Amino acid sequence: MKLVTRKRMVAAAFIAAFIVAFAALGAVSKSTTVAGGVTTAGQVPYAPWYWTMIVSPSDPKVLVLGTSNGLYRSSDGAKTWHPVGPKGVNMTSLAVAGNSMFAGGVPGPNPVIRRGTGRTAPDGPAVLTVSTDGGNTWKILHPSGLPNVTLQALASDPAKTADLYALLNSGKLYRSTDAARSFQLVSPKIGAPPWALAVTQDGHLVAGDMDSGGFTSANGKAWQKTPFTDSAGGKMVMEYAVQPSDPSHVVMTSVGILKSTDGGKTWHLALKSRTMFGPVAWAPSAPQVAYAIGFDRSFWRSSDGGDTWTQVS
Amino acid sequence: MSFYASEHAMRAERVLERADLQARLVPGPREVSPNCGVAVAFVWEQEPQVERALTESKVRFEKIHRYELDDSLSTAGTVVQ
């Protein structure tokens, strides 16, 4: 009886050890997958303009890139890219809201026009599309309340998954609270040149462009200019990305890359570089991981919440 | 046309537009210039006027390259950046 008990105890110990080891292996494997994402990228496809990028909420290796040549999708951590979505559309905007990906833009090959002292996407009819399968297929939307005018930027609210902001190239700002089925006017003209837009903590907004710098707003109606200096001593804003797990943390591409920890009120240089950067995105399933693309087609990664950046292609 | 700094490229774009020469910022192909990432594309047939306008306005550029782009500017002729 005593011997049987000892055998059982030994067997139980083996089983317990096996379970612990297996669980530990699983945990390691799981954390490696999440923290992995893009580690060695391939060549970014050439396009006349790089606008924006998003990462799948569930897989840090699935990325969608918005360019003046349309959308490109990678499912292997930016090693290879394939065109997806409607053809012939200058895709200025991408946003993730809930489990849906939204893309917007304007038809035509011309990427950017000069408008006064700034620049925007060219005038034309709006294109708004949605993907519910991780960016594989895209369906054109015709929401009520949104004028048929070039979509300059889309932005989702990290705190409200059904909310989606649409900035037109005229400067008009709209918001949807029903996952892009309908839109309502927020502001007839935002207090920043229509270019890049993001929603930070408590529904606050940041906006800016290449020539005038950055601005913040609590409601989309009143805007304050935010001082910062990019790598070249200028005030260029190319694109924003808001950290999903902490919307007060924002990265901004420019000449180099800047980071804010107060929702875009103040900025510090995270990557000093002579290169002009464009698309930037957080990986929602790996909260400390963010990616950025330079206009020299280089691909960069941050694994520490946007504080430091490493070139991976 | 490649540059040492992106602000030079932006200034070149403005100078060329004021001189009624088609020009715009484009991502610089890596084999052309790794310096600032951004280049200025223009119509190849206007190369002498482009160079003259930039020289007169004292805009610093690195080099002029002949490079075909697959976009709207290339329909107007061969494009360099």
Side-chain angles (χ1 to χ4, degrees):
Chain A
M1 186 72 180
K2 204 175 176 182
L3 189 63
V4 171
T5 303
R6 186 176 294 151
K7 274 185 179 172
R8 279 185 177 168
M9 284 178 65
V10 170
F14 266 113
I15 291 167
F18 184 79
I19 289 170
V20 169
F22 196 78
L25 272 173
V28 168
S29 165
K30 199 173 180 180
S31 72
T32 304
T33 304
V34 172
V38 179
T39 50
T40 310
Q43 181 89 310
V44 176
Y46 185 82
W49 199 261
Y50 299 115
W51 287 106
T52 183
M53 179 167 57
I54 51 174
V55 182
S56 160
S58 57
D59 187 344
K61 287 195 168 187
V62 173
L63 299 90
V64 181
L65 175 64
T67 77
S68 58
N69 277 354
L71 298 174
Y72 292 89
R73 181 179 186 270
S74 174
S75 58
D76 57 5
K79 287 187 175 61
T80 59
W81 297 86
H82 305 284
V84 291
K87 306 289 177 222
V89 177
N90 181 7
M91 281 295 191
T92 59
S93 330
L94 282 165
V96 176
N99 290 320
S100 298
M101 294 175 168
F102 293 93
V106 59
N110 191 15
V112 177
I113 60 164
R114 297 279 299 178
R115 193 186 294 280
T117 56
R119 56 193 93 213
T120 68
D123 294 331
V127 176
L128 180 61
T129 63
V130 64
S131 172
T132 54
D133 61 2
N136 262 317
T137 59
W138 294 82
K139 181 186 162 195
I140 300 276
L141 297 176
H142 301 283
S144 62
L146 189 67
N148 195 20
V149 172
T150 301
L151 277 170
Q152 180 66 46
L154 293 171
S156 55
D157 186 338
K160 297 175 183 172
T161 55
D163 281 18
L164 185 69
Y165 285 82
L167 175 62
L168 309 184
N169 77 337
S170 61
K172 284 186 178 178
L173 180 65
Y174 288 79
R175 180 176 59 204
S176 169
T177 55
D178 56 8
R181 281 188 283 278
S182 65
F183 282 83
Q184 297 79 41
L185 183 67
V186 174
S187 170
K189 198 162 190 70
I190 65 165
W195 183 259
L197 176 78
V199 185
T200 64
Q201 83 280 19
D202 303 323
H204 289 207
L205 299 164
V206 288
D209 82 333
M210 293 177 70
D211 303 278
S212 304
F215 300 80
T216 59
S217 174
N219 54 17
K221 296 179 174 73
W223 294 79
Q224 294 79 43
K225 193 163 175 59
T226 53
F228 69 89
T229 305
D230 64 35
S231 285
K235 52 186 178 182
M236 181 191 288
V237 174
M238 288 297 286
E239 177 68 311
Y240 297 105
V242 177
Q243 190 173 25
S245 59
D246 184 350
S248 65
H249 286 209
V250 188
V251 286
M252 174 175 76
T253 48
S254 176
V255 183
I257 300 173
L258 295 100
K259 183 182 173 184
S260 171
T261 55
D262 57 10
K265 292 186 184 75
T266 60
W267 296 90
H268 67 270
L269 204 55
L271 175 67
K272 188 171 170 58
S273 169
R274 286 188 301 182
T275 298
M276 191 172 103
F277 282 76
V280 61
W282 293 90
S285 59
Q288 295 301 308
V289 175
Y291 308 127
I293 291 177
F295 265 58
D296 59 356
R297 290 199 279 170
S298 56
F299 198 102
W300 294 70
R301 170 195 168 104
S302 172
S303 304
D304 58 4
D307 289 328
T308 62
W309 292 82
T310 306
Q311 188 171 352
V312 293
S313 81
Chain B
M1 176 174 292
S2 55
F3 297 86
Y4 295 104
S6 52
E7 64 268 27
H8 299 164
M10 291 171 72
R11 188 161 168 244
E13 186 198 30
R14 283 194 292 271
V15 164
L16 295 178
E17 282 176 352
R18 279 201 293 268
D20 282 332
L21 297 165
Q22 272 194 74
R24 61 174 173 72
L25 297 177
V26 293
R30 200 174 286 178
E31 59 271 24
V32 168
S33 171
N35 273 318
C36 65
V38 69
V40 168
F42 61 88
V43 179
W44 178 248
E45 281 71 19
Q46 295 177 336
E47 191 271 336
Q49 298 98 299
V50 165
E51 194 164 355
R52 188 165 57 245
L54 296 185
T55 304
E56 284 173 2
S57 297
K58 296 180 179 167
V59 177
R60 198 172 168 214
F61 61 91
E62 182 191 33
K63 200 174 174 184
I64 292 175
H65 314 261
R66 187 172 177 137
Y67 201 91
E68 294 209 18
L69 290 177
D70 180 24
D71 66 13
S72 59
L73 257 187
S74 63
T75 60
T78 310
V79 171
V80 296
Q81 57 181 346

